[in-house]
Amino acid sequence: MKLITAIVQPAVLDNVQIALATKGVAGMTVSEASGYARQRGHVEVYRGAEFTIDFVEKVRIEILASDADAEEITTTICDAARTGEIGDGKVWVTPVEDVIRIRTAERGDAAI
Amino acid sequence: MKLITAIVQPAVLDNVQIALATKGVAGMTVSEASGYARQRGHVEVYRGAEFTIDFVEKVRIEILASDADAEEITTTICDAARTGEIGDGKVWVTPVEDVIRIRTAERGDAAI
Amino acid sequence: MKLITAIVQPAVLDNVQIALATKGVAGMTVSEASGYARQRGHVEVYRGAEFTIDFVEKVRIEILASDADAEEITTTICDAARTGEIGDGKVWVTPVEDVIRIRTAERGDAAI
Amino acid sequence: MTPALAFFYGGMVRAKGVLNMIMMTVIPMATVGVLWVLFGFSMAFGDSKGFSGSPFQYFGMHDVIGATVGTDPHSIPMFAFAAFQSAFAIIAVALVAGCAADRMKFSAWIVFSALWAILCYFPAANWVFGTGWILNQMKAVDFAGGTAIHINAGAGALALAIVLGKRIGFGSKPMRPHNTTMVMLGATGLWFGWFGFNAGSALGANEVGGWAWINTLLGAGCAFLGWIFVEWIRDGHPTTLGAASGMVAGLVGITPACAAVSPIGAIILGLVVGAICAMAVGLKYKFGYDDSLDVVGVHMVGGFVGTVLIGFLGDPNYMAAAHPAALEAHKAGLFYSGSARLLGTQLVCALAVLFYSFIVSFIIAFVIKKTMGIRISTKQELAGIDLVEHAEAGYDLSNVRYTSMRIRDSLVLPSSPVSPVPADKADSSDTKGTQA
Amino acid sequence: MTPALAFFYGGMVRAKGVLNMIMMTVIPMATVGVLWVLFGFSMAFGDSKGFSGSPFQYFGMHDVIGATVGTDPHSIPMFAFAAFQSAFAIIAVALVAGCAADRMKFSAWIVFSALWAILCYFPAANWVFGTGWILNQMKAVDFAGGTAIHINAGAGALALAIVLGKRIGFGSKPMRPHNTTMVMLGATGLWFGWFGFNAGSALGANEVGGWAWINTLLGAGCAFLGWIFVEWIRDGHPTTLGAASGMVAGLVGITPACAAVSPIGAIILGLVVGAICAMAVGLKYKFGYDDSLDVVGVHMVGGFVGTVLIGFLGDPNYMAAAHPAALEAHKAGLFYSGSARLLGTQLVCALAVLFYSFIVSFIIAFVIKKTMGIRISTKQELAGIDLVEHAEAGYDLSNVRYTSMRIRDSLVLPSSPVSPVPADKADSSDTKGTQA
Amino acid sequence: MTPALAFFYGGMVRAKGVLNMIMMTVIPMATVGVLWVLFGFSMAFGDSKGFSGSPFQYFGMHDVIGATVGTDPHSIPMFAFAAFQSAFAIIAVALVAGCAADRMKFSAWIVFSALWAILCYFPAANWVFGTGWILNQMKAVDFAGGTAIHINAGAGALALAIVLGKRIGFGSKPMRPHNTTMVMLGATGLWFGWFGFNAGSALGANEVGGWAWINTLLGAGCAFLGWIFVEWIRDGHPTTLGAASGMVAGLVGITPACAAVSPIGAIILGLVVGAICAMAVGLKYKFGYDDSLDVVGVHMVGGFVGTVLIGFLGDPNYMAAAHPAALEAHKAGLFYSGSARLLGTQLVCALAVLFYSFIVSFIIAFVIKKTMGIRISTKQELAGIDLVEHAEAGYDLSNVRYTSMRIRDSLVLPSSPVSPVPADKADSSDTKGTQA
Ligand SMILES: Nc1ncnc2c1ncn2[C@@H]1O[C@H](COP(=O)(O)OP(=O)(O)O)[C@@H](O)[C@H]1O
Ligand SMILES: Nc1ncnc2c1ncn2[C@@H]1O[C@H](COP(=O)(O)OP(=O)(O)O)[C@@H](O)[C@H]1O
Ligand SMILES: Nc1ncnc2c1ncn2[C@@H]1O[C@H](COP(=O)(O)OP(=O)(O)O)[C@@H](O)[C@H]1O
């Protein structure tokens, strides 16, 4: 099994969600994150003192997938999240040794 | 070494914490997350317009464990987090190549 | 490729960021977390009732790196994040099978 | 003023219940306002019929045009007086809401609060401010409502808290205030409004208003000090929640006394009330009733202590102008006159209101519990009362929106009596019961 | 009062636009205040020159020292009267801002609001409160500004919303209030201030002020009830946002009527206004104009309904004291006199102000759009208007700071006319246009 | 009013220090209130003994019953006057707190603020409002406290900031306001209250009150404009924090002048004060004192500019009614009379208060530093002052609770003089020192 982690722009979350739903992806976990790379942050000014907010808001999406589905999900996310502007983010895939559904204690692919 | 990641209901965090403490688990890292799967979100109404909050609040728990302890910790979490209702969440286990305790620069199992 | 995850004190984030920048690390993703281990939480009192806040605020840093750079980045983070006090946190390294830059669909080391 | 109470209370609950607490606190501005104008004012200030004034004398404010209150050079139009007194009626009822955080059906609260206004406040206002026995037979001193408002509301809250039962997790799960700055906003707003209540009760910009103002400042300020001193000694730290609570306790305590004591008396009264209330808020854990936001510890105890302390601190120089009848009947407070007559009177009146209110409130709450139901379900309580009773969330500060939107077809005109609510969201019995 | 509006509006937008909404609402306190003193007061209360009073009669408040307003035992200094009336001018303009959330250039708003004050509010104030036709020729009843303020502002908001166009995502993306407690803070603050407006419009602590106060309480309270009843039936839940909206709708509706109707009339008026406005706020989705915070649904509709209902509910007993000229000219409301003359008059005046304001506002907005530009760019709107127009964020509640700091060299004295702004942050044309 | 200041200040600090800032600002409502009644009023308004009034003349408000202030048809009871003036005393002291964000021991602040009230404010109030030299010998113009309150507090803040030293990270780490909406809430609340201060200083609803009100509106509004214009030119954006700061700066500047200048004069004064203060807040970075929330830049500078501008703008038509003695002694402002006598007088008085306050405040702060200690430890400062001084957190908006609860056995009655505080949480010396 695989864990697919994507860091995307907050504005594309809807898109990704819909694209995945049409591919039949059952579930995902989402959390807030801040990123720092090519995309520049912004400047705020308080009583004349300048504050540079280095980090840019992002959303982290995590999806557990069977080995077979991983590639398709990855591509789907990338396509749905692409705006073509700097800051679109990254997707990465890591190996998972075991998955358990807490409610039923099912394990492995059945638990996804 | 392993990284055990659990997505659980916020209300069971206490339970999990106590259960792990009794098994002698030394530490954990917790963060907020939102999930989306079988469990339905809720509806809010503002001046007659309906808003569906798709995502449900969850807590992510991350625990580093030696290979030997991983299975027991996983089971402990699942047992402590189970309410039997849809939305109980998932636990997964990923391989970790190295762990370092920042304070002492210890590495590997010693750092957990 | 590797994913380096660090849990550090919020106050050292600046330090880590600068240290990594001088080593030429291009990007990172940061999020908020709470930790629980040797370091004790604090006590608050509301109308005479005592509340123990068990968890301590931490910052999670995630960095994707090529196999070659991983060790140097890990050490850099540890050095920059060390205050010597309990609660300095942990760094761990996990294997990554694939990385994609969403904007360009580049894969692998090129996407980091 | 009542809005200030809404923020004082709202800040103290958890973020998932803030809107419900605010709603419970502000709804009397509508319901009690209407009842007041219909027959409440008449019950309070109409000619006494024993239990209360006649509800029909000024029904719907008829016969009020042209009428005045007070003796002549200082008389004011009865319409203005009714307007001023409406604020007291509303806040008295709103105060009770603090005991019911996070678990009471909103419809049940509307019914409870209306009945409580009719059966507990309007009569008590008649006794204390109007034509009734506390003011006129007993000649007790209660300038702006220590008994009628605070003891009354506090005892009602105690009864309601007992009937409601405890919140899930009371005493074991932490329920800390979600926004202490909002608590402070409310407390200072109350202080501000209280100057109006207490100084305004002098019905004119005269000298009594001047010292009522000074004493209100001192009473609240010294109770604030009294409360944080207890905390500093007992818990090691003076807290902001304690400061806000102390202010309110002091306002409560000085309410009956503000025209009858000297500034030095107000300082003493404030310190005593603040310290006693700081200790009294712990009683709920000892006795196991979930008076969630300490209406009992602050209002019942504070009002009681303030009312009784007049029996000690009532100063003849000040009472001569503000309470001549009481001065004549009972002499001054024990410390000035050496006589306990005033003290006895105060004690009797305070206890009478306390017991009356407790018993009547208990009966109202109990009847509601047995008929329409008084509490939301356990599942709803865990989901959060804002969501299930009001379909809203107090805050949305995140920049990430995990939300989708749908415009109701029925937005402009209702399409059906009850629009469908997801079954797992709210027991439909809930909302049905209250639409009648 | 106007600050209360700023919080009522500010809480309703998303967290990324709260500061801009507050700024748009408070800036008239400065700009309109200055215009008022320069020539606005004179246009409103100077001797009528047909369209409005002469702007030069009291230019810069000259000749106001020593002048009084009202007949003698109750006269007040004209300076005090001008001060009191300035609050009406400011809030009327500020109300319009609610239609323009999240997308209007701040410089364009400053220009629009100043022109709107001059061309729409000052003349209308003359017609309704001063020497103009609605008060003096038509002898219509508008005690505290249902037409001049609310219909006027609502119609202006409708025009501005149409010229501005919709927010990105209007009707499809959810835009829920980021802080409903702040909305309630604003609504209750408005209520508090409105007591001052309505009771104060009696220009003295007299009996008319007394019933204006009572009616303001009832009107707002009953509209609050009316609104949440509609929600309870239609949507299944009474909401806090609905409660706050109902309060404001009721205040709007009772504004023209508060001295002319009986308390029972105020209860009816409140319930009707609350229910109608609760339905009217959905119209924007039907017709597709983005009146973001429902200035039309609450103020235009509420003001209209309140103004027209006087034609039914105007009670001769109350009008005799407060509106003797209207009573004499038109008899009382339809329900009392059986005559529709007052109703007709009210309707004509309400519609006249509505159309005048809509047309003039549309022209002002259109001219601004074609000249200086009225809307920020799409990219800026997505980034959030607080950031691009004000270089600020409303909240920073996290304990983690992803921020670095730089002290500007030019901090004390400006070094160059326009300091460089990162090109991707703001279209420089934006700020340049407004520095002139 | 003082609560409004608490929110103005509280919103500007970081989330970890908001409660401490609020506490520092509100504690004078208790402590200074008591001191005022005990002997402060007497020091300020008793018969002058050179340095100040006699503290014993009205000690504890004795001999105040029946006394009045003002000449007869317009006289008011001395009790009411004392009540009104207490608000000035409290806010003057509270203003100083803004320089001490995030690092001052709460116990040290209580001591400092009490001593500052006694040694700096009560005498200055005597000089300016009472029987002392600035009003009576110098015949300077200071209507509502530009010197006694603002210059005084600003100079005190400068001294305290220097003695305290900088916050950790001052000038390098960003310390942005955690809640700009709260800042605006405070600023607009101050504006609202200031109408009461300035118009109320006319001691009656008369014409002087009318133009004081108008001028207060214009002064604050124009300084708001002045400030954001400077920002727009210098930084490229008008900010909400700038708007709020400008309002307050304008209120400060117009305070001494509001009865002595014409509305046009108030507009000029407002623009000048706003622009100058917008530049002055940068001085702390140049000179390296950490006046955290710009008490110096806003209050000292604003008060100074306002006081001195009267020397230019004092209009004989307005001074005739409000400041006849000053008009007679010095003629009007330079622009009207061509004489610099008034200007010179204003300058001398402003500088005298400034130096007096700076020196005395410095000594008080220095003595506290050397005796009980004035600052929390570095470790405590990093942990956040709310936590270590008050054992509280301002906000808990998350739905996830990482918390467990314990009911203290000692909840009702203190079990031991000092309950144990975890050693790593607070230096025990801290709390011990202040319980005495
Ligand atoms: N080496 C990295 N490790 C982890 N996250 C990264 C890394 N590089 C970039 N990111 C994440 O990806 C986001 C977008 O990266 P950026 O370089 O700005 O744009 P793009 O991916 O379009 O080139 C960053 O904000 C950050 O969250
Ligand atoms: N494929 C998945 N990848 C990542 N997280 C998932 C996935 N499926 C479910 N989750 C997480 O688990 C939570 C619970 O899942 P859900 O299907 O609602 O209940 P249950 O696990 O009890 O069947 C979700 O809210 C989500 O956070
Ligand atoms: N087994 C673990 N799994 C995951 N995170 C851990 C684990 N142990 C510690 N941590 C994280 O590391 C942080 C610091 O750990 P702690 O033991 O308090 O200090 P130190 O690492 O300096 O010994 C914790 O707050 C927690 O976030």
Side-chain angles (χ1 to χ4, degrees), chain D residues 379-398:
Chain D
K379 201 166 164 185
Q380 291 178 320
E381 194 178 334
L382 287 174
I385 192 162
D386 281 1
L387 205 59
V388 297
E389 284 293 73
H390 307 291
E392 285 175 305
Y395 304 94
D396 181 10
L397 298 176
S398 149

Side-chain angles (χ1 to χ4, degrees), chain B residues 24-39:
Chain B
V25 173
M28 67 173 91
T29 299
V30 168
S31 52
E32 295 185 33
S34 301
Y36 172 81
R38 278 189 196 77
Q39 190 190 5

Side-chain angles (χ1 to χ4, degrees), chain A residues 64-103:
Chain A
L64 295 163
S66 63
D67 292 352
D69 296 340
E71 179 58 27
E72 194 188 352
I73 293 178
T74 309
T75 328
T76 307
I77 295 176
C78 285
D79 292 348
R82 186 172 298 122
T83 69
E85 306 253 333
I86 282 181
D88 273 353
K90 305 226 186 289
V91 179
W92 64 85
V93 183
T94 48
V96 173
E97 296 181 353
D98 201 359
V99 176
I100 304 133
R101 166 170 293 127
I102 294 176
R103 177 165 49 90

